[in-house]
Amino acid sequence: MQRRQGRVNAGLLLLLYQISQVGLQNIPSVTLGVLALNIFFFLNPVRPLPEVCISVNEGFYKKNWQRLLLSPVHHADDWHLYYNMISMLWKGIMLEKKLKSTWFAYIIVVFSVLIGVVYMALEFMIVKILDDPSYEMNCAVGFSGVLFALKVLNNHYNPGRVSSVLGLQISSKYACWVELVAIHLISPGTSFAGHLAGILVGLMYTRGPLKKIMEACAGGIFSASDPARPRDYYSDYYGYSSYQYGTRNYYDYTGGLTEEEQLERAVLNSLTERDFGGATYNNERRPYGFSFPPNQHSEEEIRRQRLRRFERR
């Protein structure tokens, strides 16, 4: 392995700080393992990124199938790692308790491999449609494809919510599609096909045959948990607001914001903070992820505001 050297990784330090704020004891085991694995490979990459990323040329033509497992756990830089792992932290806490740790780990492994396969299929289709062989060389790394698939699962098990995507109020049913386009417009360098592959794999699980195939392949070693879905927005909202590990409420860490609202805040902050020193237009540090200004509203005030906002729609 090659150890990463050079500048201080501000994104990594911030990620570790956010994890410490949540508390290791409050993070489910598989979610914590995924975070640790991605951090480990960021600090100790197996090979340089061009040798672990997945593409049609490397994965299909050259048969470098090990890249299907290596590409999701390697990241381009510390901020790439930070945003992906903060999203994984939120999704893992929400989903792992519902799906149980063993099945959740099974999902992570299967999704990681299958998303790479679907990604190559999408790029291959683009090559044929546009008659442009350069798409065979597009090489992707990062965990975001898996995160988009998990987002589909989370929306499936928690229907009826309204999500905020860059200021737009979107039904959670369509939020992943709007976010797919929004992220690509804000950051053109991101892999549109990789994110789309994640959504498609998520739909294959929730609406297609993938879940039954996984259960059959598991051979009865363990079974999938299929939690009951809330009936409406209010049942989902109150179930979510009371979600706890031990005696600490999840809202203590999110300030009452949904995942999409947290992502929006983080993306907007990243657009205004171009250097790693944290300078902004008014020379003040702005919050990332789960960190919020000291004048945040109480949980009860946040609940009333969200209910009033819902009633206006």
Side-chain angles (χ1 to χ4, degrees):
M1 292 188 179
Q2 298 183 0
R3 188 171 295 274
R4 230 176 246 271
Q5 297 178 349
R7 63 173 176 78
V8 175
N9 294 304
L12 175 59
L13 295 177
L14 185 57
L15 173 60
L16 295 175
Y17 171 75
Q18 302 291 8
I19 292 174
S20 70
Q21 289 294 100
V22 175
L24 297 180
Q25 72 279 8
N26 297 310
I27 304 175
S29 58
V30 173
T31 300
L32 184 60
V34 171
L35 297 175
L37 187 67
N38 279 268
I39 292 173
F40 175 80
F41 280 118
F42 176 76
L43 295 174
N44 301 278
V46 174
R47 301 186 188 94
L49 290 182
E51 297 180 18
V52 296
C53 61
I54 187 68
S55 68
V56 175
N57 183 60
E58 294 293 338
F60 183 72
Y61 290 124
K62 295 185 178 181
K63 312 299 182 184
N64 291 326
W65 302 117
Q66 74 275 10
R67 295 191 181 214
L68 291 173
L69 289 174
L70 294 177
S71 59
V73 294
H74 286 77
H75 290 82
D77 55 43
D78 54 329
W79 292 109
H80 186 204
L81 175 74
Y82 170 76
Y83 290 121
N84 277 354
M85 291 302 101
I86 285 296
S87 184
M88 177 61 203
L89 177 60
W90 188 91
K91 291 178 174 70
I93 290 176
M94 295 298 293
L95 283 172
E96 187 171 341
K97 187 175 182 180
K98 288 179 178 290
L99 299 174
K100 308 306 179 186
S101 294
T102 306
W103 188 260
F104 188 61
Y106 186 32
I107 283 177
I108 294 294
V109 174
V110 172
F111 280 15
S112 297
V113 174
L114 189 56
I115 287 168
V117 174
V118 174
Y119 167 76
M120 289 190 292
L122 290 173
E123 292 284 7
F124 188 78
M125 289 173 58
I126 295 174
V127 170
K128 296 302 181 183
I129 293 173
L130 301 181
D131 193 24
D132 186 353
S134 67
Y135 284 93
E136 295 178 348
M137 308 301 293
N138 284 353
C139 218
V141 294
F143 207 71
S144 54
V146 179
L147 295 173
F148 267 89
L150 295 181
K151 187 178 187 68
V152 174
L153 265 64
N154 191 51
N155 290 339
H156 171 74
Y157 291 123
N158 298 281
R161 292 184 300 139
V162 176
S163 303
S164 175
V165 181
L166 297 181
L168 301 175
Q169 301 304 309
I170 306 294
S171 169
S172 59
K173 183 178 180 180
Y174 307 107
C176 59
W177 297 102
V178 176
E179 190 174 318
L180 171 69
V181 176
I183 290 178
H184 187 67
L185 293 177
I186 293 174
S187 302
T190 58
S191 175
F192 183 87
H195 295 166
L196 177 59
I199 294 177
L200 295 179
V201 170
L203 292 174
M204 289 167 61
Y205 182 91
T206 57
R207 301 190 180 186
L210 179 57
K211 181 180 177 182
K212 291 184 178 180
I213 294 174
M214 289 173 61
E215 290 174 336
C217 292
I221 298 176
F222 47 82
S223 60
S225 172
D226 192 10
R229 296 169 62 180
R231 295 180 180 179
D232 53 31
Y233 176 90
Y234 290 103
S235 63
D236 169 61
Y237 176 80
Y238 286 111
Y240 172 68
S241 64
S242 62
Y243 189 75
Q244 297 182 1
Y245 274 97
T247 60
R248 303 182 69 181
N249 195 298
Y250 185 69
Y251 267 82
D252 294 340
Y253 311 123
T254 65
L257 299 184
T258 66
E259 175 199 7
E260 289 79 12
E261 291 166 338
Q262 295 167 38
L263 177 61
E264 176 185 351
R265 175 170 294 196
V267 170
L268 291 176
N269 288 338
S270 70
L271 292 177
T272 56
E273 292 196 26
R274 295 298 182 182
D275 64 307
F276 293 102
T280 62
Y281 294 116
N282 58 3
N283 293 323
E284 295 179 351
R285 286 197 60 81
R286 301 184 61 179
Y288 282 88
F290 296 151
S291 298
F292 297 93
N295 61 341
Q296 59 182 331
H297 299 294
S298 68
E299 179 180 333
E300 187 61 32
E301 291 173 337
I302 292 168
R303 181 180 294 112
R304 287 198 297 268
Q305 290 174 5
R306 289 167 66 87
L307 289 176
R308 285 198 298 271
R309 184 177 65 183
F310 176 76
E311 291 169 355
R312 289 198 297 269
R313 280 189 285 273

